[in-house]
Amino acid sequence: MTAAALAPLHGSYLPDDCQFLLTPIEADYLTIEEKERRIQSGQAHYSEMIHRESAPSPRYLALFETLCERYAPRLANEVRQLASQIVADLGHSDTPLVLVSLVRAGTPAGALLRRALINHEHQACHHYSVSIIRDRGIDSIAMDYLLDDVGVDPRRVVFVDAWTAKGVITRELRQDIARYNDTRRARNKDTIVPRLAVISDIGGTADYAATCEDYAIPSGILNATVSGLVSRSVLNHRVPAGAFHGCVVYHELAEHDRSQAFIEHVAAHLVTPSPAVAPPSDADRTRQQALMQAMLDRIQRDYAVHDINHIKPGIAEATRVMLRRVPALLMVRDPAHPDVEHLLLLAEEKGVAIEVRPDMPFHACSLIQALVHQEAP
C-alpha cells in the first residue's frame, strides 16, 4: 500500500473535529467469552480480535444522559484548563498544534480539546486519532503519515487520552515514541516529545491533567456510540501491509449514536468557564502513583490475582471490563455514589458479584475472570 492510499476517516464526527488514522476492515467477530479464552491462553493478542458491539439499553443510555447533564460543565472547564496548560507550555504560534488522541478513549477528549484551543485560546489546531496497542506500540504508519505526508511540526504534537489508570498506556507511549524517534534519528527535526494530556490522571503519569480525581467522565461509559461509531483498534491479518491499524465502523448503530451530540453538549459549556483550579502538581502525581500502586498490591494479594492486567482500577477502566471483557468481580467504594450507578446496572444485568471497598482511592475497580488456570508467580 502506497502513501497515496492512506486516507483519514471521521466516522460520525464532523471532519474538522476528528480525523481517524485507521483502516476500516471486515470483522471476524468472536463472542466476548471466546475472545477472553484466546487472550488468556496465549492463542491470540487482544488486538487481533473483536466482538460485535450492541446498542446500549434505554435504561443505560438514560444514565449516560444524566451523567452528561451532571458533568458537562465540569468537563468543559477541565478541557479549557488543559488547553491553557498546553498553550502556556508550548506557546502561541502560527504553526498549528497537533493533537494526537489515542483511539478510542482519547478521541472525544481530543475533539473537545481542539475546540477549546481554537475558540478560546485562539490557537490553530488539528486533531487526529491514532491507534496505540499494549505490547504492540503506537501505529508508526500513522505517525509517518503525520510527519511525512501532512507535514506536521513534531514540536507541536501533544498526545491526548481521557484518563490514566495503572499507567500502562503512558509507559507504552513513552517507550514506543523513543523507539520511533530512534528509527528516524538521522532527521533530528522529526523528534517527537511524548507529551500526554488527560482529563483525569488517577494514575499520576500524565504531563498535563485537569484533575487526579476519579469521576464518571460520560464518554467513558459508552463504546462506539460516543466514539464516532468506530471500534477500538485492531491489528490482525485483515489489515493490509503498510496501512494504518484497523477498525470496524458500526454503521448499524447510527440511530443510537451520541458522538457528535456529546461534543456539542460539552462544547456549549466552553463559553462559560468556572473559576480556574490549579492543575495537579508534581507532588500530586507522585502521591497518586503511590496510592495506585499500594492499592493494586493490596487487591492483587487479597484476591490472589496472578496477572496484574486483570485488575482494572477507576470508573472508566471498570466500565470497559463490564462492557468488553468477562468480569469476575466489581468493587465500588460507595454503592450510593451516583458515579457508579451505571456499573451497578451492568453488574446486575451480567450477574457479577459486587463488593464494597471503602479503602480504595478510586470509585471502582473490576477484576477480569481467569478462564485459563495460571500458576502463581
Side-chain angles (χ1 to χ4, degrees):
M1 178 172 288
T2 64
L6 297 173
L9 62 108
H10 58 84
S12 62
Y13 288 114
L14 295 175
D16 284 347
D17 279 332
C18 179
Q19 296 286 315
F20 289 98
L21 302 188
L22 293 170
T23 303
I25 61 171
E26 293 292 326
D28 300 312
Y29 292 117
L30 297 175
T31 66
I32 291 177
E33 291 76 15
E34 177 59 24
K35 182 163 60 77
E36 194 66 54
R37 286 191 190 92
R38 294 190 187 187
I39 292 171
Q40 294 187 25
S41 66
Q43 286 180 268
H45 190 266
Y46 79 89
S47 65
E48 298 173 31
M49 303 170 292
I50 195 165
H51 72 275
R52 186 188 294 274
E53 292 185 16
S54 57
S57 69
R59 187 177 168 195
Y60 191 83
L61 191 57
L63 291 176
F64 167 76
E65 301 292 356
T66 298
L67 286 175
C68 285
E69 290 300 320
R70 181 183 303 136
Y71 284 131
R74 172 180 177 167
L75 182 55
N77 192 49
E78 290 174 340
V79 167
R80 284 198 64 164
Q81 289 182 48
L82 273 184
S84 296
Q85 289 178 48
I86 291 168
V87 169
D89 192 23
L90 300 185
H92 278 97
S93 173
D94 292 335
T95 302
L97 283 169
V98 176
L99 302 179
V100 179
S101 66
L102 306 180
V103 170
R104 68 186 164 174
T107 306
L112 288 168
L113 188 52
R114 174 193 164 275
R115 293 276 191 105
L117 284 162
I118 289 175
N119 297 328
H120 304 288
E121 294 293 333
H122 309 293
Q123 171 60 60
C125 180
H126 304 298
H127 171 219
Y128 299 88
S129 209
V130 168
S131 168
I132 187 168
I133 296 171
R134 191 187 74 228
D135 304 325
R136 299 291 187 271
I138 200 159
D139 186 346
S140 59
I141 300 294
M143 298 309 298
D144 285 347
Y145 174 84
L146 290 175
L147 293 174
D148 298 334
D149 291 52
V150 180
V152 307
D153 184 342
R155 297 167 298 180
R156 305 286 287 171
V157 169
V158 177
F159 294 91
V160 181
D161 211 346
W163 60 81
T164 65
K166 297 196 298 286
V168 174
I169 291 300
T170 310
R171 289 190 292 274
E172 188 81 39
L173 175 68
R174 289 172 179 157
Q175 291 168 7
D176 208 56
I177 290 298
R179 178 204 58 76
Y180 179 79
N181 284 335
D182 193 52
T183 65
R184 299 173 66 96
R185 182 165 47 187
R187 301 171 62 188
N188 291 331
K189 66 186 178 74
D190 286 339
T191 297
I192 296 173
V193 177
R195 308 176 186 91
L196 178 63
V198 303
I199 304 297
S200 175
D201 190 21
I202 70 169
T205 61
D207 299 286
Y208 311 106
T211 182
C212 287
E213 182 184 347
D214 181 29
Y215 78 98
I217 298 171
S219 58
I221 82 161
L222 291 181
N223 284 328
T225 52
V226 78
S227 303
L229 296 179
V230 169
S231 76
R232 65 162 176 79
S233 54
V234 180
L235 190 57
N236 61 18
H237 68 283
R238 292 281 191 179
V239 180
F244 301 139
H245 289 184
C247 72
V248 176
V249 182
Y250 291 105
H251 298 289
E252 67 272 20
L253 296 179
E255 65 179 289
H256 307 282
D257 188 32
R258 296 294 187 275
S259 303
Q260 194 64 43
F262 174 72
I263 299 303
E264 301 302 342
H265 187 159
V266 178
H269 292 275
L270 287 171
V271 297
T272 54
S274 301
V277 177
S281 64
D282 289 344
D284 292 329
R285 291 188 178 92
T286 299
R287 176 176 175 273
Q288 286 300 121
Q289 290 174 22
L291 286 171
M292 176 63 74
Q293 190 57 57
M295 195 69 225
L296 290 173
D297 291 344
R298 201 174 310 152
I299 290 170
Q300 191 165 21
R301 181 186 65 246
D302 290 351
Y303 301 96
V305 179
H306 302 313
D307 186 346
I308 193 67
N309 290 319
H310 287 184
I311 303 174
K312 301 295 184 179
I315 292 170
E317 289 297 307
T319 303
R320 293 168 96 179
V321 172
M322 302 298 287
L323 292 174
R324 290 171 21 185
R325 306 295 292 269
V326 179
L329 177 69
L330 170 66
M331 291 173 269
V332 295
R333 187 165 67 188
D334 176 7
H337 197 288
D339 280 21
V340 300
E341 189 175 357
H342 70 286
L343 283 165
L344 299 180
L345 173 59
L346 289 172
E348 176 189 324
E349 292 176 347
K350 294 173 180 288
V352 176
I354 301 166
E355 185 166 320
V356 178
R357 292 281 311 234
D359 59 329
M360 294 193 302
F362 31 77
H363 277 294
C365 180
S366 288
L367 300 184
I368 295 172
Q369 186 174 334
L371 301 180
V372 177
H373 176 72
Q374 297 177 337
E375 298 295 332

